[in-house]
Structure formats: structure tokens, C-alpha cells
Amino acid sequence: MKRSTLNITFAVGFLATAVGLLVARSNPASSYEPSIYTGTPTITWAAFALALAVAVSTALTCRGREQAFGIALGATTVTGIVSLPVIRNYRFAGMGDALTHLGWTRDIVTGQTAPHELFYPGIHSLASVFHYVGGVPIERALLFGIVILFVPFLLFVPLVVREISGSGVAVGIAAVISWMVLPINNIATHMGVHTNSNALFLVPVVIFAFVAYLRRRAAIERLAFGLSPFTLLIFLTGIALLFVHPQQMINVVVLLGAISAVQFLARRRYDDHPILDHPTMYAHTVVLGVIFTVWATSNERFRDALAGLLTGILTADVGGGAEVGQREASLQEIGSGLGELFVTMFFELALISLVVGVFILLVWLGRTSLDPETKSFVNYLSLSLIPLTGMFFVYFFGTPTMAFRQVGFLAVILTILAGVAFARGVGGLSSVITRPGANAVVALALGACLVLGLMTVFASPIIYSPNQHVTDQKFSGYEAGLTHTDDDTPLAGMGYDPYRYDHGLNGIEREGTLSAGTADSGTVDPEAFEAGNYSGAYHGSDYYFVVTEFDLTREIEIYDELHHSEDSLEEFETREGVDKVISNDEFRMYSVSGSG
């Protein structure tokens, strides 16, 4: 393609991204949106689609500066998609852990707690800086933090692949696969204020640090005491990861431990091998392992989580098998199933895992033409998948949520390996058809996976999980309810425990904070509620019943009245002993008499 034509193509792509962002900004969310995809104007999605089409084609076919422009276009567009809650003026996004993180950030801002007193203070500290320096509300500052922590993923995945293989094809493919955001699965990793998920996007930075350390060994790069600048970079990025979330830090320690084991075995077995020329990772593994151990064991939350994991492994009715069975039964009742949901949420990850798996097998069988240095790095990462996958099974039988978080980390490694694997696939396909034809086939396949991946970055009805958009009216309703109602009367939600809103609005480090599973906060029993036994629906006592637009969307529209029906809610409002005490367009609170 001529340079002038290419310049015009890039101009069209960047203009499309700008138009999409401006249209999204000019159409802010005015009320609760069940799906950010349908709430965002169609023009925005059309503009983003055009920009990504240009980005995919140029990232795969161009080299040098032009390829960098294509990668920059795609990364900018995907960052814009991830930033939609900020761009479209969401008050907040996230109703589970996100609200608790909001409460911790509020505690830091108000001086109720210090950052170092938290187990993972990274995003809370970052949001506090935005709040103090920029004067933005704490909720918005946290949304900014999500974007800031996400961008390194898009930057460093292609940089790691460039360090590993040096192939322009591999770099472009790795960039495109990074745009799919494979670490987000919306089961245990989420695109929101969720520190475990946010930490995943920093993992490529740590991997880049140790790959650069292994690659660049010149004496001129040494600092005092024989230290390499990349050694310091490994330690600094590892500590940064620890502060965002320790689970991903321990995964990095396991990764480095696996590399150290490969180096040790190579030194025992071979007299001449590229791995023998690499500096060892023994010290880095030990130092980061000690840092994690000291930090984690001094924290009560870690000790409780470890005890819960061990209990889950030893208890027959706890674990992934039981949870999967419950989810499958619920999906069947609303006319769906795990198969359909798996295709929607995991098809692109499964396809890429299959390609990477075949590629690794060919590497181990010696059936590829990789240069020895690249093959060494592929072996490092592929062999590390063995202990990392073993950790997945430990989590699966102990705490299923942790297992799917582990899938997120595995997806980061697979994203990096996929760049090299698909590049070799393009080379092999080129021997069968023409090189342009091979590029076209790969571009179409990756483009289809990219669409599917971006469709599930955010929670939405397509995966039976409504958008966790928190509006001004919802915050206002909860704030009034928590402030003006009787403190001795518990709050009960319709499938959602209101205690998280107490965390987000009032902080956590104070007396009287609501907690899950206590006499102060919980959810009504759906069977008793549907039967009209409103007093028996919540411990037979007086309580406040909260219904939000999110609850109605989930229970009535998405779950198809599986647990709560619209008729029962209408009957509930007219029952004696039930009084509406707070109401706006998206929030209702009722006072329910225990004798009703």
C-alpha cells in the first residue's frame, strides 16, 4: 500500500475513534442501564468497529512505524471502550467488591485508615491521589484508576512478544489478541474496581522486566554491586503488583520459580544450550517470595482466606463441582445452559488455548523452526503453565472464585504465547496459500474473536449478568435509607445484600458498619416471599425491604422471574404491614412489620 494511502487510512481510523468517543461523551447515561452496550449510541460502536478494522489490518500487515500506528490505534480504541463508564458519566460502576473498595478509599481520604494498613492499597491510593490533586469525586477517581491500570496490559503484551521473538508478525498478532482482554471472564474477574482483576493488567509489565533481564546481559548495563537495572525493575514491578493484589504477585513468584527450575535442570543436563547463557532467576524468586510471605502472613485477611481454601478442599459440599451444578440448574430453569454460556464467554479463550497448546506440543517435539533463543523463552512460559494450572485445580476444589481468578492469570500467559504461536501459523499457512491470503485468514479469525471478546468485557444481559451501573438516584436512595431509618431494624434486599452500599457511602473503619450474613443486613427468602409470608421472609422480625432497578432487571427480565415475580411484588405493595418509606425512579424502600 502506498504511503499516502496508508496515511489516509490511519487518519480515518483515528478520526473514527475520536467521533465514537465524542458521541459517547455527548450521550451520558441519564438512568440505570442494564447493558452499557445497548446504552451507548450505535454511532459509537460503528465508529469503533471501523477503527478496529483499520487497526487489525495494519497491525498484521505493516511493519515498523506503520505497524506501531496500527497498534496505537487499536489500543486507543479498546481503552476508549474500557473507559465508557467514565466517558458516559457513570456515577459509579460495580456493586460487589467495588463498593467495599470505594469504602476503603473513602476511609483513606477521611483519615479513618492509612494506605499501608490495607492488604492491597494500590488502586485506593491511586484514586486518593486523583481525588486530592484533581478534585474529582472519589467514585470517579476509582473509575479513572481502572483505566490507568488497564493501559499497561495493551502496551506491554506486544513489547514482551517483541523481546521474546523479534518477529513483526508476532508483535502485531499479540497486540490484536491483547485487545480481546482475555483475562476478564465476568465470573471472578471483572472490568471494574476489582483489585484482583486490575492486578492482572500489570502482570505483563513484570514479565517484560524479567524477559528484558534475561535478554540484555551486557556488563555496561550493570549498576553498583553488580546489580542490573532490570533486576531493580523486576523488584519494583513485583512490589507494585503486590500492592494492587497479592494473589497475582504469588502467581508471578510461581512463574519465576518455574523458570528457575528450568534453568537449574538445563544446567544439570546440558553443556551447551541458550538457557545456560541466561542469568539465573534464583535470587529474584527468593526475594519476591520473601516479600510476599512477610506482607501476606502479617495480614489477617490472608490468613482467613487461606483457612477458607483449606476448609473448601476438605469439605465435600464446597468447591467448584457444587457451584457449577447449582449454576447449571438455574440456567436450565430460564431456558439456557452452561454450553451456551461457555461459548459466549470462553470461546475465544478456548480457541486461542487450543492453538497455543498445539504450538507448545510442536515445540517440544522439535517440529518448529524457532531460533534457540525464542524457543527457550517459549519453554519458560509453557512449562510455567504446569504449576499454574495445578494451582487452578487446588482453588477449584477449595474456593471456586479463586479458581476463575487463576484462569485470568493463565489467560495473560496464553495471550503472550499466542502472539508467537499464531505467527508460526501464518508462516505455515503461507506455504499452502499466498502470504496475503494467510494474513487475510488470520485477520478474519482474530477479528471475529475480537468482536466476541469485546462483547463480554462488561457484564450485560447476554451473559445473564446485568450491568452494575450505580446511579445518583440509587446512591441517594441508599444514603437516605441508611441515614434516616431505625438503626435497630435490619435491611433486606431482593437477592442483593444492601451492606455493600453502607461500605461505599460511609466507609468501613467505623463502628456499626453493616456486614454480610449478620442480623443487620441480608436478603429475603424468595420462597417465603413468593408465598406471601413477608414476615417469615426475613427471620420473622421487622425489617426494611429494598428494591432497585437493578434488582427488577435481574430478577424479572433476565432471570425470567426465577426467584421473584412481578405479581408478588405488586401484591406485596398492597399488603397490610408494608409501608413505602423512600422512593425514587430507581430505588424503593419498604418498612415491613414482622407480624405482617
Side-chain angles (χ1 to χ4, degrees):
M1 186 181 295
K2 295 181 179 179
R3 180 176 295 275
S4 58
T5 305
L6 199 57
N7 290 339
I8 293 173
T9 302
F10 282 129
V12 170
F14 280 104
L15 179 62
T17 298
V19 169
L21 294 174
L22 288 173
V23 171
R25 179 63 180 169
S26 62
N27 289 271
S30 57
S31 59
Y32 171 71
E33 295 182 342
S35 170
I36 196 169
Y37 297 103
T38 57
T40 301
T42 304
I43 295 176
T44 293
W45 294 117
F48 285 166
L50 175 59
L52 287 173
V54 172
V56 170
S57 59
T58 53
L60 296 182
T61 58
C62 297
R63 299 293 176 265
R65 186 179 64 174
E66 287 76 16
Q67 185 184 51
F69 286 154
I71 293 174
L73 173 60
T76 302
T77 305
V78 173
T79 302
I81 293 173
V82 169
S83 305
L84 281 174
V86 178
I87 294 168
R88 300 198 55 243
N89 204 31
Y90 275 27
R91 171 71 181 273
F92 193 62
M95 292 172 48
D97 289 349
L99 288 170
T100 297
H101 293 306
L102 174 59
W104 274 323
T105 308
R106 198 176 300 280
D107 286 337
I108 292 174
V109 170
T110 58
Q112 294 295 315
T113 190
H116 68 272
E117 294 174 340
L118 298 179
F119 189 26
Y120 30 81
I123 194 168
H124 316 87
S125 303
L126 182 62
S128 299
V129 170
F130 278 120
H131 174 72
Y132 281 123
V133 176
V136 298
I138 299 173
E139 297 91 342
R140 193 165 182 80
L142 278 169
L143 297 182
F144 285 154
I146 298 169
V147 180
I148 295 298
L149 293 177
F150 173 73
V151 170
F153 181 76
L154 302 181
L155 293 177
F156 280 89
V157 165
L159 287 176
V160 169
V161 173
R162 187 183 70 171
E163 285 290 307
I164 289 175
S165 73
S167 164
V169 178
V171 171
I173 291 174
V176 174
I177 295 175
S178 73
W179 304 339
M180 300 175 194
V181 201
L182 296 179
I184 297 300
N185 55 50
N186 279 301
I187 295 177
T189 57
H190 310 275
M191 185 55 72
V193 186
H194 189 254
T195 52
N196 195 294
S197 307
N198 305 139
L200 288 169
F201 301 128
L202 294 181
V203 171
V205 184
V206 187
I207 295 177
F208 174 81
F210 76 71
V211 170
Y213 169 76
L214 294 172
R215 273 282 197 181
R216 302 171 183 178
R217 304 179 288 274
I220 196 173
E221 295 181 346
R222 296 288 170 180
L223 301 176
F225 308 107
L227 288 175
S228 164
F230 295 103
T231 293
L232 297 181
L233 185 61
I234 291 170
F235 293 152
L236 290 175
T237 55
I239 292 171
L241 188 63
L242 173 68
F243 287 161
V244 178
H245 202 285
Q247 183 183 351
Q248 307 310 340
M249 163 74 159
I250 192 59
N251 280 327
V252 166
V253 173
V254 172
L255 173 61
L256 295 182
I259 293 173
S260 298
V262 172
Q263 291 179 327
F264 177 78
L265 293 174
R267 280 165 169 74
R268 292 288 299 272
R269 181 174 180 180
Y270 300 108
D271 294 324
D272 182 24
H273 194 281
I275 290 178
L276 304 184
D277 296 328
H278 294 164
T280 62
M281 303 295 297
Y282 308 151
H284 306 81
T285 305
V286 171
V287 171
L288 289 181
V290 168
I291 291 173
F292 169 82
T293 301
V294 171
W295 181 265
T297 55
S298 63
N299 188 275
E300 185 178 357
R301 284 177 59 85
F302 172 78
R303 295 193 296 269
D304 291 342
L306 182 60
L309 173 62
L310 296 175
T311 301
I313 294 173
L314 299 173
T315 304
D317 60 347
V318 176
E323 183 160 315
V324 168
Q326 294 170 2
R327 296 288 180 91
E328 184 174 21
S330 297
L331 287 169
Q332 288 175 347
E333 288 190 52
I334 58 177
S336 183
L338 284 179
E340 175 187 334
L341 199 60
F342 177 86
V343 171
T344 305
M345 299 174 66
F346 291 104
F347 176 77
E348 71 277 15
L349 178 58
L351 177 61
I352 286 168
S353 300
L354 177 62
V355 173
V356 171
V358 171
F359 169 70
I360 291 172
L361 181 61
L362 293 175
V363 170
W364 289 351
L365 293 175
R367 306 297 293 271
T368 66
S369 58
L370 288 176
D371 63 88
E373 186 80 354
T374 301
K375 186 176 180 180
S376 297
F377 282 100
V378 170
N379 283 328
Y380 282 148
L381 292 177
S382 58
L383 289 170
S384 72
L385 293 174
I386 297 174
L388 291 169
T389 304
M391 292 174 65
F392 163 80
F393 287 107
V394 171
Y395 290 141
F396 186 80
F397 293 107
T399 53
T401 298
M402 300 285 278
F404 283 98
R405 291 179 179 180
Q406 189 70 8
V407 170
F409 188 89
L410 292 171
V412 176
I413 306 299
L414 290 170
T415 298
I416 294 170
L417 286 172
V420 185
F422 273 86
R424 302 308 302 174
V426 170
L429 193 59
S430 299
S431 62
V432 179
I433 59 178
T434 63
R435 186 57 179 248
N439 286 336
V441 170
V442 172
L444 288 173
L446 293 181
C449 289
L450 178 59
V451 171
L452 189 57
L454 292 176
M455 281 174 56
T456 54
V457 166
F458 295 105
S460 70
I462 195 174
I463 56 173
Y464 302 98
S465 179
N467 183 19
Q468 294 190 357
H469 174 201
V470 183
T471 63
D472 287 328
Q473 288 186 316
K474 191 182 293 184
F475 264 138
S476 175
Y478 270 110
E479 188 171 24
L482 292 166
T483 302
H484 300 297
T485 54
D486 184 2
D487 292 339
D488 295 327
T489 303
L491 272 67
M494 191 174 79
Y496 184 83
D497 195 327
Y499 83 99
R500 294 283 197 178
Y501 280 91
D502 181 47
H503 288 183
L505 289 166
N506 300 315
I508 300 171
E509 302 299 327
R510 61 181 178 82
E511 291 188 20
T513 302
L514 299 183
S515 301
T518 67
D520 299 323
S521 181
T523 59
V524 296
D525 183 310
E527 292 185 7
F529 193 91
E530 288 296 300
N533 182 12
Y534 303 124
S535 61
Y538 196 76
H539 306 304
S541 63
D542 294 351
Y543 63 95
Y544 293 110
F545 180 57
V546 175
V547 180
T548 68
E549 194 65 26
F550 169 85
D551 299 323
L552 295 175
T553 300
R554 181 188 57 191
E555 299 294 340
I556 307 302
E557 297 180 19
I558 296 178
Y559 290 176
D560 197 21
E561 302 187 345
L562 175 62
H563 303 299
H564 292 275
S565 66
E566 196 167 11
D567 290 341
S568 68
L569 289 172
E570 292 177 358
E571 181 184 344
F572 167 77
E573 286 201 346
T574 61
R575 181 66 67 88
E576 184 179 353
V578 175
D579 298 302
K580 186 184 293 183
V581 293
I582 297 174
S583 178
N584 61 40
D585 290 342
E586 298 182 22
F587 179 94
R588 285 175 280 168
M589 177 180 284
Y590 303 87
S591 174
V592 183
S593 171
S595 59

